[in-house]
Amino acid sequence: MCRLLGVVSRAPLPLAAALGELAAPFTELSREHADGWGIAAWPGRGGDGPRVVKGIARAAGDRLWDDALGGTPADAAVLHLRMASPGLPVVPGNTHPFTAGGLAFAHNGFFSPYDALDGLIDPGLLSGAGGGTDSERFFLRVLTLLRDKGPVDALAQAAEDIRARTSFASLNCLLLTREALYAYADEDPESEVSRRRGPDFFRLRYRADGERVVVASSGVPQPDGAWSVLPYRRVLEVRRGDLGVRVHG
């Protein structure tokens, strides 16, 4: 399984500064979630899309990761630490976040069979897939739906499609667009991972402090009262323009 972290700040900051006290404990999680990492970061309101940096080594101890945290100014970013699903190789094409058309997407969880969504994905998008993961297919289904729906409905519909066709552990994901950061949460509490890891493992939480909004998987400090749980089957929207926060669904 993987770990997710998203941040939206009022002004562009180096990621290490935007994440503050979360940067070190999130990096430490890579000692277990050690199958690569990725960052997609918007360097402010201008530009054609987010800057993307990925590595297939463990983030902790990887100079490229440290350089990305310290040298990437951003007002919105998605960070991902990968624990590869069995049978899926640790290669750049399978490393999150996945990107297309100025969008970035990262997933924490898995579903099986991996190709269950193929008939619901635009053939051109499917043929251009960079890797072979279930997570990338989740993103390609969202991209297909975005042609007719907004991000909130696209995330919710893609998750519904997965629930109807697969066995899954978690559908937690982050979607970063030009306008906002979106987060979706869901898990199957009867999955082997959920039973083994416990009820907190797949919780997504968010925190707003006036200068930033952060969304995070469990594993980083999330003291009671400061963080809110994103309810399952809901979509969190964090607007980049004004840090407005709304839970849909």
Side-chain angles (χ1 to χ4, degrees):
M1 293 299 99
C2 308
R3 296 289 86 180
L4 299 172
L5 184 60
V7 61
V8 181
S9 57
R10 196 166 294 281
L13 296 168
L15 280 175
L19 296 173
E21 76 286 357
L22 299 176
F26 187 72
T27 301
E28 189 66 18
L29 292 175
S30 72
R31 298 192 182 279
E32 178 183 10
H33 304 269
D35 298 322
W37 56 269
I39 297 171
W42 276 93
R45 297 291 294 167
D48 296 327
R51 177 192 176 195
V52 181
V53 187
K54 298 182 181 183
I56 58 173
R58 183 178 66 187
D62 188 339
R63 182 174 178 179
L64 185 60
W65 168 266
D66 293 337
D67 289 347
L69 289 186
T72 303
D75 75 323
V78 168
L79 300 87
H80 183 272
L81 302 175
R82 186 179 181 217
M83 180 185 288
S85 298
L88 294 179
V90 180
V91 295
N94 288 341
T95 305
H96 313 216
F98 306 103
T99 57
L103 307 176
F105 178 90
H107 171 220
N108 168 27
F110 71 86
F111 59 85
S112 179
Y114 295 156
D115 60 358
L117 295 180
D118 286 8
L120 302 178
I121 296 170
D122 177 90
L125 293 174
L126 187 60
S127 65
T133 65
D134 52 331
S135 299
E136 186 175 16
R137 284 171 162 84
F138 191 172
F139 180 42
L140 296 179
R141 177 55 179 155
V142 171
L143 288 178
T144 300
L145 289 163
L146 283 171
R147 296 177 175 180
D148 300 308
K149 300 176 182 289
V152 172
D153 291 337
L155 286 169
Q157 182 62 60
E160 182 177 329
D161 294 336
I162 294 170
R163 284 194 299 271
R165 291 165 173 81
T166 75
S167 299
F168 70 96
S170 165
L171 303 180
N172 291 358
C173 61
L174 298 176
L175 175 68
L176 182 59
T177 76
R178 185 180 299 274
E179 292 78 25
L181 172 67
Y182 299 89
Y184 181 84
D186 195 13
E187 74 163 316
D188 177 3
E190 297 304 315
S191 72
E192 185 275 332
V193 177
S194 292
R195 287 185 282 107
R196 172 166 49 87
R197 292 283 195 162
D200 189 60
F201 185 69
F202 285 121
R203 290 292 184 189
L204 275 184
R205 294 178 174 85
Y206 62 98
R207 176 181 180 178
D209 65 11
E211 295 302 316
R212 65 172 185 174
V213 180
V214 181
V215 186
S217 300
S218 61
V220 298
Q222 297 170 340
D224 292 343
W227 293 75
S228 300
V229 173
L230 177 60
Y232 288 148
R233 302 192 184 183
R234 300 292 187 267
V235 179
L236 175 73
E237 178 184 7
V238 183
R239 295 192 303 269
R240 291 179 61 200
D242 60 5
L243 298 190
V245 175
R246 180 179 177 187
V247 176
H248 299 265

